[in-house]
Amino acid sequence: QRQPILLRGAEARAAMSFSLPVTKVATQARLGLNYQLSPVLEPNNSVIQVVLNGSPLGAVPLERAIGGGTAFNHLQIDLPAELLVAENTITFELTGRCAGGCANADGEIRTLIDLTSTLSVSGEIIPLPNDLAQMPTPFFDAMAQQPVEIGFVMPADADLRTLQAAGVLASYFGAMADHRGVRFQAVRDGFPHGNAIVFALAGTAELIQLQMPSVNGPVVAIRENPSDAAGKLLLFAGLDSNHLLM
């Protein structure tokens, strides 16, 4: 959510969407709302209904922040993990009450849910097989809404052909990321945490660590990440850098 959520009027609704990685199963989720109740609305008599994927979670009374004015109040709501799927929508339905009636003040009623609000989700990682048929998963999640970050493990003496191979992969992932953007982190010593792309030649320390001390030609494979039990490595290997572009 890149903009605050503004609920206009005494009866208003707005929605936000979020996604979960295809490799994760949620076990706990909590929504932390930082909100500013319109001065026109009565605290406690005005409520907000939170709806997760079409299932109402109950109406919660809204209070006025102690500081008044532009101060924000905080509200925590537990989300049922069993309702969470890959693509999710949270809908906020405001039912406000005004002391003297809201009919003449409807245009002045603005309740704000601030950008500092949080959504925390914890869960378990689903183990995936080392299967190229699942590409681009887990290195790219089409449902993710945030910028993509991918580590590139490069040889310390990477030549032009190796850099060209890395450029081809960077263009591939960049095209899929589209408007979300992508950030590549180059690593020259060991494997980073998470998922990463590895370019290695026969006999190098990276292949030895992956129990592949020798290769006879171009290799493309997925391997476990020795630095992260939940991470995967997309490996491009060969006898020389020409094999990395095949």
Side-chain angles (χ1 to χ4, degrees):
Q1 186 70 30
R2 300 180 180 179
Q3 298 291 332
I5 295 176
L6 184 61
L7 298 167
R8 297 178 180 270
E11 305 284 336
R13 61 181 293 163
M16 60 166 282
S17 299
F18 67 96
S19 60
L20 295 180
V22 295
T23 57
K24 187 173 184 178
V25 174
T27 56
Q28 288 184 320
R30 173 170 290 185
L31 183 64
L33 293 182
N34 292 324
Y35 68 91
Q36 187 180 89
L37 183 64
S38 172
V40 182
L41 297 179
E42 289 186 334
N44 299 316
N45 289 330
S46 299
V47 300
I48 191 166
Q49 171 81 261
V50 178
V51 181
L52 174 60
N53 295 332
S55 297
L57 304 183
V60 182
L62 298 178
E63 301 177 356
R64 185 88 61 215
I66 296 177
T70 59
F72 286 89
N73 212 343
H74 184 71
L75 174 65
Q76 286 196 345
I77 302 173
D78 289 327
L79 304 179
E82 62 271 16
L83 295 180
L84 294 174
V85 292
E87 291 281 355
N88 302 276
T89 300
I90 297 178
T91 304
F92 304 99
E93 299 177 349
L94 173 68
T95 302
R97 296 290 181 267
C98 305
C102 298
N104 297 326
D106 199 54
E108 303 173 7
I109 302 174
R110 296 179 177 87
T111 297
L112 180 70
I113 298 177
D114 195 55
L115 275 176
T116 57
S117 299
T118 59
L119 173 65
S120 58
V121 180
S122 59
E124 300 177 354
I125 300 296
I126 302 173
L128 295 178
N130 296 330
D131 186 0
L132 287 170
Q134 297 195 42
M135 283 290 295
T137 303
F139 306 95
F140 176 80
D141 187 347
M143 294 182 179
Q145 298 170 335
Q146 64 272 20
V148 180
E149 294 191 12
I150 303 176
F152 272 36
V153 180
M154 306 290 295
D157 56 349
D159 61 10
L160 180 59
R161 298 292 282 176
T162 302
L163 296 177
Q164 287 176 330
V168 171
L169 264 293
S171 297
Y172 169 73
F173 286 108
M176 288 192 296
D178 196 23
H179 65 279
R180 285 164 291 195
V182 60
R183 177 177 179 270
F184 300 105
Q185 178 187 6
V187 179
R188 291 179 180 246
D189 184 16
F191 303 115
H193 284 272
N195 303 314
I197 315 298
V198 180
F199 300 90
L201 300 181
T204 57
E206 288 79 13
L207 289 186
I208 293 173
Q209 192 172 355
L210 295 175
Q211 299 181 353
M212 297 177 63
S214 63
V215 294
N216 298 319
V219 174
V220 180
I222 295 178
R223 292 291 185 266
E224 308 294 332
N225 187 343
S227 299
D228 186 348
K232 296 284 188 180
L233 302 175
L234 177 58
L235 174 66
F236 291 84
L239 294 172
D240 56 43
S241 59
N242 289 316
H243 285 169
L244 302 181
L245 271 173
M246 289 186 175

